[in-house]
Amino acid sequence: MRLSKGKQFLICTAVFAVLGAAFKVMVLVEGFTEVRPVNAVPMLAGLSFGSIGALGCGIGNLIADAFGTFNLTSVLGFFANFVAAYLPYKLWHLLKKEEPNVHTWKNIGLYVYLSALSALTAACMLGFGLYYFFDSWIETIFTYVLFNNFGFSVALGLPLFIVLTSDSVNLVCTEAKESKYHWLKSMKKSVLIAYTLLMVVIAAGVFTGWLPGNQAVAGFLNVISLLLLLYLLL
């Protein structure tokens, strides 16, 4: 099954907006976040449709926020959900030469790994984004975003992706575009390892309480993580 880019965008936007709005009543942090089964969508949208799916997730999140939590912080939500979808797409095609699927245990393991890294990235973008741009540190935001994204991506998204890539549906995923920055590609796997380790360090710092209290260290780690992330997204 092959879908046009227009249909890809509309489906991702509509699904994210409807599911996101439907669960606004299940509040976790007033004005910021709630129980979000919709967080299974970025992994599916990114792996299936690439940048178009990621854009649909970002726009869909803005639409969903209009039903109860829309404010300036919604800008962070747009970028976090875009990256949560686009990063797995880029990394899958960095690590594998085949179309995204979960037909083997290795591919399932890769899906789980990408779900975890995507969730950590979104949690950092929202948690520390609020801290640096809105002077508000809410540790539960980091925690809820992390476990919302990872939990629903695996518990709900993985079974759905199995169905979408099965022989009965056979969704044709968007092919990866060759980056024009060819000279960067050779180092990307090493950068991915460094980025993964850095995300783990930041998460450990949050859960043990020494971040973001140590502002100098937090700022340094977040700047480095942002640079590595941008490198991986090129």
Side-chain angles (χ1 to χ4, degrees):
M1 179 176 65
R2 186 184 296 272
L3 300 173
S4 67
K5 289 186 177 181
K7 288 182 179 179
Q8 292 172 8
F9 175 75
L10 289 175
I11 289 172
C12 293
T13 303
V15 170
F16 201 106
V18 170
L19 282 178
F23 285 86
K24 285 294 179 184
V25 294
M26 301 182 68
V27 177
L28 292 174
V29 179
E30 185 67 39
F32 290 102
T33 193
E34 59 281 333
V35 176
R36 287 170 62 92
V38 70
N39 283 4
V41 174
M43 278 293 296
L44 301 180
L47 291 178
S48 300
F49 306 132
S51 58
I52 295 296
L55 183 61
C57 290
I59 298 296
N61 187 74
L62 290 177
I63 296 172
D65 278 1
F67 288 87
T69 57
F70 189 84
N71 52 50
L72 284 177
T73 63
S74 296
V75 176
L76 292 175
F78 170 84
F79 286 108
N81 282 285
F82 177 90
V83 172
Y86 192 56
L87 182 63
Y89 163 74
K90 294 291 288 187
L91 296 184
W92 181 283
H93 291 287
L94 172 68
L95 300 172
K96 303 285 286 189
K97 293 183 179 180
E98 61 183 307
E99 183 177 294
N101 70 81
V102 281
H103 296 163
T104 66
W105 286 110
K106 282 187 177 180
N107 286 0
I108 290 175
L110 178 57
Y111 178 97
V112 173
Y113 162 66
L114 295 179
S115 296
L117 189 60
S118 173
L120 278 168
T121 300
C124 283
M125 291 183 71
L126 288 169
F128 286 97
L130 286 172
Y131 180 60
Y132 290 117
F133 295 110
F134 297 94
D135 195 27
S136 176
W137 173 252
I138 306 174
E139 184 177 330
T140 50
I141 289 289
F142 183 96
T143 304
Y144 288 145
V145 170
L146 175 59
F147 289 106
N148 254 329
N149 280 43
F150 179 66
F152 285 116
S153 290
V154 174
L156 182 58
L158 179 55
L160 286 173
F161 200 55
I162 290 174
V163 172
L164 290 174
T165 57
S166 66
D167 292 337
S168 58
V169 178
N170 194 25
L171 177 70
V172 177
C173 296
T174 299
E175 295 181 359
K177 292 183 178 179
E178 192 68 29
S179 174
K180 61 182 179 180
Y181 304 100
H182 300 289
W183 59 277
L184 295 175
K185 188 174 181 180
S186 61
M187 293 180 58
K188 276 196 173 182
K189 290 184 180 179
S190 298
V191 171
L192 174 57
I193 293 172
Y195 180 71
T196 301
L197 293 175
L198 186 55
M199 286 293 98
V200 172
V201 169
I202 291 175
V206 172
F207 291 132
T208 56
W210 62 272
L211 288 180
N214 192 326
Q215 294 185 358
V217 174
F220 175 77
L221 293 179
N222 278 285
V223 167
I224 297 300
S225 70
L226 180 59
L227 293 175
L228 295 179
L229 176 62
L230 291 174
Y231 184 101
L232 292 171
L233 294 178
L234 287 175

